[in-house]
């Protein structure tokens, strides 16, 4: 069964950093681009960023709202994609989903930014 | 960025009746490879989104056949032939042709 499991969420103060992980299983992780999508409480889905497979250069792209603060990386040997978040803002409070387009989603990990 | 809009934003449906949601994109989602990268997702209460329809009209494995998608270029529709109680939740369209990916605002569907 193809699966994504996020971890690393929690309560963090504004301005601090946090790293989320997404562990994949059930498919050849290195063959696929991976995305992060977030959902603020009571709000819709917001795309955060994307990392291509190494075959396509492993390049990344980000939403304007997080560009320069968030960074996505991957470790294909461990089937993990990371979301490094820095200079966190209260507006970054959300459930963060890992997503392999178009069909595989994790359950999400909650990030709460609050003093 | 491609802007995705959905109408209506809320829908209350009697079980057994049909329902329809419109999604419009600010740019054509038709790729040079001939495919149109428009997806429909359902997010049931307390759950992660689940794929219903990909490439406008292809029903994903496990999606009930009462769900169908249609449209082209910039105008798309998701139809539910006979709404069931388990169909409640938020429906989102998403474009997959260009980065950044963008979602519609979501359509809330509930049962009368």
């Amino acid at each position: 069964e193809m699966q994504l499991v996020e971890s690393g969420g929690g309560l963090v103060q504004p301005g601090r950093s946090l790293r989320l992980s997404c562990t994949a299983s059930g498919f050849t992780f290195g063959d696929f681009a991976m995305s992060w999508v977030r959902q603020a409480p009571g709000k819709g889905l917001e795309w955060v960023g994307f990392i291509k497979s190494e075959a396509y250069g492993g390049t990344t792209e980000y939403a304007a709202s997080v560009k320069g603060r968030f960074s996505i990386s991957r470790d294909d040997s461990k089937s993990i994609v990371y979301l490094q978040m820095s200079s966190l803002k209260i507006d970054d409070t959300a459930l963060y989903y890992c997503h392999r387009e178009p069909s595989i989603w994790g359950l999400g990990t909650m990030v709460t930014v609050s003093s | 960025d491609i802007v995705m809009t959905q109408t209506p934003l809320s829908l209350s449906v009697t079980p057994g009746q049909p329902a329809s949601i419109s999604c419009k994109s600010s740019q054509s989602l038709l790729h040079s490879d001939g495919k149109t990268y428009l997806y429909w997702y359902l997010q049931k209460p307390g759950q992660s989104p689940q794929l219903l329809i990909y490439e406008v009209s292809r029903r994903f494995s496990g999606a009930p056949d009462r769900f169908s998608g249609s449209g082209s270029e910039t105008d798309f529709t998701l139809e539910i032939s006979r709404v069931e109680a388990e169909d409640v939740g938020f429906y989102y369209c998403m474009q997959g042709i260009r980065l950044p990916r963008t979602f519609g605002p979501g359509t809330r569907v509930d049962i009368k």
Side-chain angles (χ1 to χ4, degrees), chain A residues 37 39 43-47 50 61-63 97 99 101-103 105-108, chain B residues 39 41 43 47-51 54 60 92 94 96 99-105:
Chain A
V37 176
Q39 187 169 37
K43 302 297 185 184
L45 301 170
E46 180 189 14
W47 183 85
F50 180 93
E61 294 219 21
Y62 302 94
Y97 291 105
H99 180 209
E101 292 181 10
S103 61
W105 295 79
L107 295 178
Chain B
Y39 306 100
Y41 295 95
Q43 187 175 33
Q47 296 186 19
S48 303
Q50 58 187 80
L51 180 65
Y54 65 101
F60 185 61
Y92 297 94
M94 186 194 88
L99 296 175
R101 299 289 192 249
T102 43
F103 293 89

Side-chain angles (χ1 to χ4, degrees), chain B residues 5-13 19-22 88-91 105-112:
Chain B
T5 57
Q6 287 180 232
T7 54
L9 296 182
S10 184
L11 201 49
S12 189
V13 188
S20 179
I21 300 170
S22 171
V88 299
F90 282 86
Y91 290 77
T107 296
R108 178 179 179 170
V109 172
D110 63 26
I111 299 296
K112 281 184 183 176

Side-chain angles (χ1 to χ4, degrees), chain B residues 51-91:
Chain B
L51 180 65
L52 294 174
I53 302 287
Y54 65 101
E55 294 171 21
V56 179
S57 59
R58 297 178 182 271
R59 194 179 307 111
F60 185 61
S61 172
D65 60 9
R66 62 181 178 276
F67 291 96
S68 64
S70 63
S72 63
E73 302 258 7
T74 60
D75 288 344
F76 308 96
T77 302
L78 176 71
E79 294 186 338
I80 312 173
S81 58
R82 293 173 303 279
V83 172
E84 297 188 6
E86 65 181 28
D87 300 335
V88 299
F90 282 86
Y91 290 77

Side-chain angles (χ1 to χ4, degrees), chain B residues 24-46:
Chain B
K24 295 183 189 297
S25 58
S26 62
Q27 299 174 30
S28 175
L29 304 186
L30 174 61
H31 194 275
S32 56
D33 64 7
K35 298 178 182 178
T36 302
Y37 290 94
L38 185 281
Y39 306 100
W40 287 100
Y41 295 95
L42 165 59
Q43 187 175 33
K44 296 183 179 182

Side-chain angles (χ1 to χ4, degrees), chain A residues 8-21:
Chain A
L11 175 63
V12 61
Q13 292 179 325
R16 304 297 291 261
S17 299
L18 199 64
R19 189 179 78 163
L20 307 183
S21 301

